[in-house]
Amino acid sequence: MTRSPRSRTSAALAATAFLACATPLLGATAASATTAGGCQSATVQYRIVDADGNPVGADWTSQGGFHQWDSAPGTVEVRLAPGQTVGDGCKYPVSLAEYTTEGSNWYTSGRQTLVDHATVYLTAADLAGDGNRTWQKLSVKAPDCYGQIDLYGDDIIYDGKSEDGHGPAPYQPGNIVTPYHLIAAWNGGDKSCTPDQPDSPTPTPSESTPATPSTPPASQPPAQETTPPATPTTPSTATTPPTTPDVPPLESTPPATPTPSPSDSTPPLAETGSSAPVGLIAGGGALVIALGVGAIRMTRRTGRS
């Protein structure tokens, strides 16, 4: 028995509806992975050099801590320590900042005031290896009074300002231990940065003021002299701020394939995982399949009759 054109059309419509519903369910089972690129922290080495570029004191080191200077370090060379893998496009900011202070070491530094600042950015080209190389240099003004010089691993200017790119100035009594990512620091100086105030003139006694102090009554014993307590010489904090040669990267390398974002003209891809509406899609598919089967049965009955 030959099927009528109407039965063929109904069967084709039912099959099309089935495929239209099943296709999203099949596609929803496969998830796409995004390549995550990035840069890791890197270890920085430094050394102090003179005006001719010759090392002063120890050669390349990653040893941090606070150091007392005989003469203030005006120029510091920096590089990335050998034996590391540094990705292309990774940059590591390193800064040198010079502050005036209220004392010659961290414990007496008090409030610090930024005087000079410099920043360089290290890349794979600054990785230590074989042969003589020219390395990046950081230079700041040499303080002529009590001061502190900080070498640290970011490009923030710690001067107490609040706008972008600035941070709180170091302040030992307030336990403000900036800069962050401190690599090493130097303290020194032999005089105060604040000029001495002139002594106030001694007032001339008036005629009504007796030339000699009056003798206290015999019934009252003289006031007992007391010795003021000596100024404590021990530091208020037991340790200096922590230092580390590991510097975080400025930015990460972007992924090789950017993740597409949905737009008005392109429908979003099917979601996967627990957040995807798989149950809703499956329910809709089952409904369309049932309708298609019913249409096929009705068509067959119509053809028999």
Side-chain angles (χ1 to χ4, degrees), residues 7-8 15 38 64 66 77 103 121 138 168 193 205 213 250 265 276:
S7 64
R8 292 174 182 172
F66 278 63
E77 279 188 329
Y121 297 90
L138 292 159
C193 299
L250 180 68
S265 58

Side-chain angles (χ1 to χ4, degrees), residues 89-250:
C90 298
K91 295 197 299 184
Y92 300 90
V94 180
S95 298
L96 192 68
E98 188 259 307
Y99 298 87
T100 58
T101 64
E102 298 175 359
S104 60
N105 56 51
W106 166 252
Y107 305 111
T108 61
S109 60
R111 191 175 301 279
Q112 301 191 24
T113 303
L114 181 70
V115 175
D116 200 8
H117 174 272
T119 299
V120 296
Y121 297 90
L122 303 180
T123 65
D126 300 291
L127 187 63
D130 297 332
N132 294 326
R133 296 272 305 277
T134 300
W135 307 104
Q136 297 201 57
K137 296 179 176 63
L138 292 159
S139 298
V140 293
K141 298 177 182 178
D144 56 1
C145 57
Y146 294 141
Q148 179 171 310
I149 294 179
D150 293 328
L151 179 68
Y152 58 97
D154 62 49
D155 55 359
I156 302 297
I157 301 175
Y158 295 95
D159 56 358
K161 298 180 181 179
S162 57
E163 55 259 34
D164 290 342
H166 295 261
Y171 183 45
Q172 191 271 343
N175 198 31
I176 302 176
V177 289
T178 55
Y180 304 130
H181 311 118
L182 186 64
I183 300 171
W186 295 264
N187 295 92
D190 55 6
K191 64 179 181 179
S192 173
C193 299
T194 304
D196 295 334
Q197 298 295 328
D199 295 335
S200 57
T202 303
T204 304
S206 60
E207 295 180 358
S208 60
T209 304
T212 57
S214 59
T215 303
S219 59
Q220 296 180 1
Q224 187 177 11
E225 295 183 0
T226 58
T227 303
T231 303
T233 58
T234 56
S236 58
T237 44
T239 60
T240 55
T243 57
T244 175
D246 295 331
V247 173
L250 180 68

Side-chain angles (χ1 to χ4, degrees), residues 266-289:
T266 305
L269 298 176
E271 296 181 80
T272 61
S274 59
S275 62
V278 176
L280 181 59
I281 296 175
L287 178 61
V288 174
I289 292 172

Side-chain angles (χ1 to χ4, degrees), residues 37-40 85-92 122-125 127 249 251-254:
C39 302
Q40 304 297 322
T85 300
V86 178
D88 295 335
C90 298
K91 295 197 299 184
Y92 300 90
L122 303 180
T123 65
L127 187 63
E251 58 187 2
S252 299
T253 304

